[in-house]
Amino acid sequence: MSTPRRAAVLGSPIAHSLSPVLHRAAYAELGLAHWSYDRFEVDEAGLPRFFAELDASWAGLSLTMPLKRAVIPLLDEISDTAAAVEAVNTVVFREDGRRLGDNTDIPGMIAALRERGIEKVDSAAVLGAGATASSALAALSRLCTGPVTAYVRSSARADEMRQWGERLGVDVRIADWARADRAFDAPLVVATTPAGTTDALAGAVPDRPGTLFDVLYEPWPTALAAAWSAHGGAVVGGLDLLVHQAALQVEQMTGRATAPLAVMRAAGEHALAAH
């Protein structure tokens, strides 16, 4: 009989997370009946204690907000990708006891765009300037050959995006949120804002838009994504990102070369439809 192996997603709030649905679907498809994947409500203060109580059955963890930066001091090593944005969303526990941190959001974004045929663009726009925006800039550093315009609401956010641009080697240009409709002239627009933030922009979608990457997956489609599709533009959604980053986590935690992407996406779509 195979030794039980455990994994889970941690965060606060966590009840809404689709990660258990995706990872469990992967385990079932891969025949990993001895693997389990759960969710735990854990905040920054409770994270060290959670780590202290883990035993050898644990293979890995997925981390969401507000733990992506708080976990770093608890790890033995983090990947260059995670270090670039100071954010870890994946922890793998090695047999020798070492705790390794990685960030699959960035390669997940790249994979989701490449799945839709987006390999390179000569410019891009980012709506918003939060934590997801820094990951978007990291992804764009590998996809965009020209400037990235960030549409932000405050001078503090503008400074943060400039700093991330310098750190990641991206030519970041700042524009005021009041002019966010101008973002739609770019061949690739990445919306990183909370639900409802871009709804007022839906009426400004041009007749022939490029590609929209909206990182939300619920509610879906967003008003902006729906308008974009109605005008014939390509749309990459938050579920695409979630599935790709989760597939990379499954591969790292289980050691399997390829995660069942289609099965994981179908499970996510079913869960969202049921919800």
Side-chain angles (χ1 to χ4, degrees), residues 47-48 51 67-76 78 88 99:
L47 189 59
F51 264 70
L67 305 178
K68 293 184 179 183
R69 183 169 294 179
V71 74
I72 294 176
L74 303 175
L75 305 176
D76 296 299
I78 65 173
V88 166
R99 302 165 171 177

Side-chain angles (χ1 to χ4, degrees), residues 124-129 137 148-152 161 172-177:
V126 175
L127 301 178
L137 284 182
V148 175
T149 304
Y151 291 82
V152 303
M161 290 297 279
V172 174
R173 302 177 183 183
I174 303 298
D176 190 275
W177 182 264

Side-chain angles (χ1 to χ4, degrees), residues 48-68:
R49 180 177 178 180
F50 188 93
F51 264 70
E53 295 176 349
L54 297 176
D55 60 27
S57 68
W58 283 86
L61 296 170
S62 308
L63 300 169
T64 186
M65 298 305 290
L67 305 178
K68 293 184 179 183

Side-chain angles (χ1 to χ4, degrees), residues 32-144:
L32 300 176
H34 59 297
W35 281 69
S36 64
Y37 190 99
D38 302 296
R39 63 163 68 89
F40 293 94
E41 182 84 15
V42 180
D43 60 15
E44 293 174 79
L47 189 59
R49 180 177 178 180
F50 188 93
F51 264 70
E53 295 176 349
L54 297 176
D55 60 27
S57 68
W58 283 86
L61 296 170
S62 308
L63 300 169
T64 186
M65 298 305 290
L67 305 178
K68 293 184 179 183
R69 183 169 294 179
V71 74
I72 294 176
L74 303 175
L75 305 176
D76 296 299
E77 181 183 343
I78 65 173
S79 68
D80 291 342
T81 302
V85 290
E86 296 179 357
V88 166
N89 79 327
T90 307
V91 176
V92 176
F93 300 107
R94 292 289 177 84
E95 290 184 3
D96 62 4
R98 288 175 59 78
R99 302 165 171 177
L100 307 183
D102 193 14
N103 186 308
T104 63
D105 287 331
I106 296 165
M109 285 185 174
I110 294 170
L113 285 165
R114 286 179 173 166
E115 186 178 38
R116 303 300 176 87
I118 307 300
E119 297 280 349
K120 291 288 181 183
V121 291
D122 57 15
S123 65
V126 175
L127 301 178
T132 305
S134 62
S135 292
L137 284 182
L140 289 170
S141 72
R142 307 178 193 181
L143 294 170
C144 184

